[in-house]
Amino acid sequence: MNLQPYVAQGEVLGQAVLTAEQMCSMNFAREECRKLEKILLTFVIPAMGGYDNELACDIARHLEQITIFSGNFCWRHRHLGASYGVVGKRAEIDKGCGQ
């Protein structure tokens, strides 16, 4: 069996490695983006006249691009952040916002 076509090619970039703490921050960012998206899609875009409004379409497009190009905030590695806290919860940030 020839496994050569399945061998990963490339270079490991040390500065591109995420720690578990950084992944916890990515998990938090994903949850915050989801909350922002809900506000924008539920209230703001309809108040702007829906998708007939060019600016509303731009907002929706930018939200989609954030998710796509961030890899949904490193979704594949989300479990790494669990060792630093509950996904989506960061006491030092949440406590000042009436949470």
Side-chain angles (χ1 to χ4, degrees), residues 5-62:
Y6 303 104
V7 175
Q9 300 285 326
E11 176 180 347
V12 175
L13 301 174
Q15 60 271 43
V17 175
L18 291 173
T19 65
E21 185 176 17
Q22 290 167 326
M23 195 61 242
C24 184
S25 292
M26 286 288 161
N27 290 343
F28 178 77
R30 183 184 329 100
E31 291 299 318
E32 289 298 305
C33 186
R34 190 173 294 143
K35 291 174 187 175
L36 177 61
E37 181 178 43
K38 184 176 180 180
I39 291 168
L40 291 170
L41 297 178
T42 304
F43 301 107
V44 176
I45 289 177
M48 296 173 71
Y51 294 102
D52 291 331
N53 182 311
E54 187 177 337
L55 183 56
C57 288
D58 282 347
I59 290 170
R61 180 176 52 81
H62 287 299

Side-chain angles (χ1 to χ4, degrees), residues 56-97:
C57 288
D58 282 347
I59 290 170
R61 180 176 52 81
H62 287 299
L63 285 171
E64 184 177 23
Q65 288 179 345
I66 289 167
T67 302
I68 291 169
F69 290 104
S70 71
N72 196 12
F73 300 96
C74 300
W75 175 258
R76 290 183 296 169
H77 307 295
R78 68 196 178 280
H79 63 282
L80 294 175
S83 63
Y84 274 83
V86 177
V87 174
K89 303 284 185 201
R90 291 184 38 160
E92 71 275 8
I93 293 175
D94 288 342
K95 67 182 172 187
C97 298

